[in-house]
């Protein structure tokens, strides 16, 4: 009777012709051979970096992690805590000596910690009592120094300081602003909010208000620009009967209609039209000659006297305002 065996690769039963036959077919034998070869290659790929690292004296953080058998983040932690020395060569390259790794490991031998309670030294007990007493005194002094704070709701903060809800939460958490919760609403310290966003203007003290259309006509701007300026510069606004009103006093400080109406200043467009140049040329000339300019909203106002003097000298020197 012929002997039957299970194929070492596919697991099927087959009738073997000799005692050394392990595979049912030539295909299984070739597949098993390829599998063994792949395992050897994978093993060499895994071992080769360790072999290369063992012959190096200076290691990067990644290679040090491979050598120590830990993650790269843990190597960074050891370096930041001062347990493992490292040398920074540039902003993107740092090295660790293998000798320093061995020295660190030799200086921290393993001690087994048994789960049994050890008797405490009387000196440690006295130190603990002193620490607790000093902590309690500091706590009492801190309670004595605390002053009562005035709190305002989150809606009032957003309306007063012109901030979004998400930015309010992030800023309060990032700057450790005192917050209390009452009936499901957050209330923030007014003193800390004033220090963070700047003391807001008292809306009740303002008497002149402009609607969006009036502000557009008066300052020659757009609705988007008005909203942007109100948000960035914390301009007081109020909403009545579906309309938004802006503080005229604060808009005058930004758009400066008095300077625009003055004959002592050019706008960039006016200067470019008068001298037959582009706005870019005017801006380059102002920057090159360090001419005085005043920022009004999104426009730059240039002093007429200074620009006219520069243009007169260019005309006398080159025979034209703009070089051809």
């Amino acid at each position: 009777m012929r002997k039957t065996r299970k194929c070492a690769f596919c697991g099927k039963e087959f009738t073997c012709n000799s005692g050394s036959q392990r595979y049912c077919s030539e295909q299984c034998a070739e597949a098993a051979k390829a599998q063994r070869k792949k395992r050897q290659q994978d093993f060499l790929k895994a071992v080769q970096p360790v072999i290369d690292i063992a012959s190096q004296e200076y290691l990067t953080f990644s290679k040090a992690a491979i050598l120590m058998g830990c993650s790269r983040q843990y190597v960074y932690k050891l370096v930041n805590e001062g347990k493992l020395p490292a040398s920074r060569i540039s902003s993107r390259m740092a090295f660790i000596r293998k000798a320093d790794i061995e020295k660190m490991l030799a200086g921290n031998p393993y001690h087994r910690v048994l789960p049994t309670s050890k008797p405490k030294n009387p000196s440690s007990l006295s130190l603990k009592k002193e620490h607790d007493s000093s902590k309690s005194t500091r706590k009492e002094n801190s309670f004595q120094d605390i002053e009562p704070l005035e709190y305002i709701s989150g809606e009032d903060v957003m309306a007063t300081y012109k901030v979004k809800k998400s930015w309010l939460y992030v800023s309060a958490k990032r700057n450790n602003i005192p917050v209390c919760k009452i009936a499901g609403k957050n209330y923030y310290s007014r003193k800390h909010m004033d220090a963070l966003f700047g003391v807001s203007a008292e809306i009740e003290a303002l008497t002149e208000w402009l609607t969006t259309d009036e502000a557009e006509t008066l300052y020659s701007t757009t609705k988007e620009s008005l909203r942007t300026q109100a948000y960035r510069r914390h301009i007081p606004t109020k909403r009545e009967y579906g309309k938004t009103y802006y503080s005229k006093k604060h808009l005058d400080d930004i758009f400066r209609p008095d300077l625009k109406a003055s004959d002592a200043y050019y706008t960039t467009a006016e200067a470019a039209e008068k001298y037959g140049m582009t706005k870019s040329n005017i801006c380059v000339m102002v920057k090159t000659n360090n001419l005085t300019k005043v920022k009004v909203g999104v426009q730059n106002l240039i002093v007429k006297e200074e620009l006219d003097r520069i243009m007169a000298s260019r005309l006398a020197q080159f025979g034209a305002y703009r070089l051809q």
Side-chain angles (χ1 to χ4, degrees):
M1 293 178 63
R2 291 193 176 185
K3 190 176 180 180
T4 60
R5 288 182 179 177
K6 278 189 177 182
C7 180
F9 182 76
C10 65
K12 294 181 180 181
E13 289 189 357
F14 68 98
T15 303
C16 57
N17 299 323
S18 63
S20 61
Q21 187 175 357
R22 299 177 57 194
Y23 305 103
C24 62
S25 62
E26 293 183 359
Q27 290 81 6
C28 288
E30 293 294 333
K33 183 178 179 181
Q35 190 179 42
R36 288 195 303 271
K37 189 174 181 180
K38 186 177 183 302
R39 286 177 183 173
Q40 291 177 357
Q41 290 177 352
D42 293 342
F43 176 75
L44 291 175
K45 285 182 181 179
V47 174
Q48 189 64 35
V50 181
I51 297 174
D52 296 339
I53 290 172
S55 61
Q56 295 180 6
E57 177 62 24
Y58 299 97
L59 308 173
T60 61
F61 280 44
S62 301
K63 292 183 178 180
I66 294 174
L67 183 64
M68 296 172 62
C70 62
S71 63
R72 189 178 60 177
Q73 286 75 14
Y74 189 72
V75 176
Y76 278 108
K77 182 180 178 181
L78 292 175
V79 173
N80 290 332
E81 292 177 353
K83 297 180 180 179
L84 181 60
S87 301
R88 180 175 291 280
I89 307 302
S90 64
S91 60
R92 299 175 62 88
M93 183 62 68
F95 289 102
I96 299 172
R97 287 197 313 171
K98 190 166 63 175
D100 292 332
I101 297 177
E102 296 174 354
K103 185 178 179 181
M104 178 192 68
L105 296 177
N108 294 277
Y110 175 76
H111 297 287
R112 185 181 179 188
V113 180
L114 297 175
T116 57
S117 59
K118 295 182 180 179
K120 295 183 179 179
N121 296 328
S123 60
S124 63
L125 291 174
S126 61
L127 290 174
K128 185 178 181 181
K129 288 182 180 179
E130 292 178 0
H131 177 71
D132 293 340
S133 61
S134 62
K135 187 176 180 180
S136 62
T137 54
R138 286 199 304 268
K139 192 173 182 181
E140 291 176 359
N141 293 333
S142 64
F143 277 121
Q144 292 176 359
D145 295 337
I146 289 177
E147 60 177 354
L149 297 174
E150 180 185 358
Y151 288 87
I152 56 176
S153 64
E155 290 79 3
D156 293 338
V157 172
M158 290 186 286
T160 305
Y161 302 98
K162 300 298 178 296
V163 294
K164 296 180 180 179
K165 184 183 291 186
S166 58
W167 182 245
L168 170 61
Y169 293 156
V170 172
S171 301
K173 186 175 181 181
R174 186 179 297 167
N175 296 277
N176 297 323
I177 294 177
V179 183
C180 64
K181 200 162 190 175
I182 302 174
K185 290 186 177 181
N186 288 335
Y187 290 81
Y188 301 87
S189 169
R190 181 187 290 273
K191 175 183 175 182
H192 292 78
M193 282 296 173
D194 285 340
L196 179 61
F197 296 113
V199 180
S200 62
E202 293 295 335
I203 295 180
E204 293 79 6
L206 300 174
T207 56
E208 293 185 281
W209 298 88
L210 296 175
T211 63
T212 306
D213 296 334
E214 291 173 348
E216 280 187 275
T217 305
L218 181 61
Y219 301 111
S220 301
T221 184
T222 60
K223 293 184 177 66
E224 292 77 10
S225 177
L226 277 175
R227 285 195 292 266
T228 302
Q229 295 291 347
Y231 176 74
R232 289 180 179 175
R233 300 176 183 249
H234 308 293
I235 296 176
T237 60
K238 65 178 182 179
R239 193 165 182 84
E240 295 179 357
Y241 304 105
K243 288 186 177 182
T244 303
Y245 293 83
Y246 299 88
S247 169
K248 185 177 184 301
K249 176 179 178 299
H250 292 78
L251 290 179
D252 287 343
D253 293 339
I254 294 174
F255 293 102
R256 300 298 300 272
D258 55 336
L259 292 182
K260 289 184 178 180
S262 175
D263 294 335
Y265 295 94
Y266 285 125
T267 63
T268 308
E270 291 173 350
E273 183 180 359
K274 178 177 180 180
Y275 293 104
M277 304 173 71
T278 62
K279 294 181 181 179
S280 301
N281 292 335
I282 295 294
C283 294
V284 170
M285 191 170 297
V286 170
K287 186 176 181 180
T288 305
N289 296 278
N290 295 323
L291 301 182
T292 305
K293 62 179 181 180
V294 182
K295 185 77 171 179
V296 177
V298 296
Q299 291 184 338
N300 286 323
L301 298 183
I302 308 165
V303 178
K304 282 187 177 182
E305 183 180 356
E306 295 181 2
L307 185 62
D308 291 342
R309 185 177 66 253
I310 294 296
M311 289 300 183
S313 63
R314 288 175 66 87
L315 182 63
Q317 184 176 1
F318 302 107
Y321 298 121
R322 181 178 179 180
L323 297 178
Q324 302 296 329

